[in-house]
Amino acid sequence: QIKPKAWKDFDADQLEQAVYEFTGDSLRKVLEAGVNVTMIQVGNEVTNGLLWPEGLKPNYDNIARFISSGIRACRAVKPEIPLMIHLDNGGNNEMYRDWFDHYMERGEDFDYIGLSYYPFWHGTLQMLEDNLTDCYGESCAWYVPPVYASNGKLITKGRCAIHGLGALPELVREV
């Protein structure tokens, strides 16, 4: 995820400030428009970082700075909205552990870990289940989003696991 063209010459300090301002301004505009925001995902599939090259993995210091800046902006605007950090490759527990170990050493608090899982690329359902049931300490709860078949039919409704317990096995079986 490369930097926006308008930020192409920014250093890490300027990027951190730009993320804060952009995120806060965007959230204020959405709320002023009357949108009922029930969760905010700070970043999208940030497994390999964000705002490259400064925030490219393995530069976890900058990755945490940029994501934390977005988290602080959200908390400054409306602190009661739950916040999610979202990675892809949902069947790769080793990668999740590594990524969140690094983030938790440096980053701001968040409420949920979101994950993308595409069986063709991200492993077996057993790998997904293993990752979902291996929650990162007590600082996370997994959100299992609605799952749709390719024909658009709803397979499961979205649910949240109890904070700190990881995904409940009966929810994972529904996937």
Side-chain angles (χ1 to χ4, degrees):
Q1 299 173 348
I2 60 172
K3 296 184 280 190
K5 187 181 271 188
W7 300 355
K8 69 179 177 65
D9 295 322
F10 287 11
D11 64 19
D13 291 334
Q14 292 168 312
L15 288 168
E16 182 178 12
Q17 184 62 35
V19 167
Y20 184 89
E21 291 171 5
F22 179 83
T23 304
D25 290 345
S26 298
L27 180 55
R28 275 187 288 282
K29 288 176 184 173
V30 166
L31 293 170
E32 289 167 3
V35 176
N36 179 24
V37 179
T38 59
M39 183 181 294
I40 299 170
Q41 176 179 306
V42 180
N44 183 55
E45 296 189 346
V46 293
T47 307
N48 291 311
L50 66 163
L51 302 174
W52 297 348
E54 289 82 358
L56 179 63
K57 185 178 168 184
N59 191 340
Y60 287 104
D61 289 333
N62 282 343
I63 291 170
R65 284 177 72 181
F66 302 153
I67 292 172
S68 294
S69 185
I71 288 172
R72 285 191 305 276
C74 293
R75 298 259 194 246
V77 173
K78 194 157 184 184
E80 64 272 19
I81 299 174
L83 300 173
M84 176 194 308
I85 296 177
H86 175 231
L87 307 182
D88 65 343
N89 205 354
N92 188 340
N93 183 252
E94 180 180 349
M95 184 274 300
Y96 271 74
R97 280 292 180 165
D98 180 64
W99 199 98
F100 280 101
D101 283 349
H102 287 289
Y103 181 82
M104 297 301 289
E105 293 170 358
R106 301 163 172 84
E108 296 286 325
D109 190 30
F110 60 95
D111 302 296
Y112 295 96
I113 294 173
L115 63 79
S116 296
Y117 172 76
Y118 304 98
F120 184 79
W121 293 289
H122 299 161
T124 66
L125 283 175
Q126 184 62 54
M127 292 167 69
L128 172 63
E129 180 176 352
D130 292 345
N131 195 25
L132 288 172
T133 56
D134 183 30
C135 187
Y136 188 90
E138 295 191 19
S139 64
C140 76
W142 294 95
Y143 172 69
V144 180
V147 176
Y148 294 88
S150 60
N151 65 3
K153 180 182 176 199
L154 180 66
I155 297 173
T156 68
K157 295 180 181 175
R159 297 200 209 166
C160 292
I162 297 170
H163 190 77
L165 295 182
L168 303 174
E170 60 270 18
L171 297 182
V172 175
R173 277 193 287 277
E174 289 185 27
V175 178

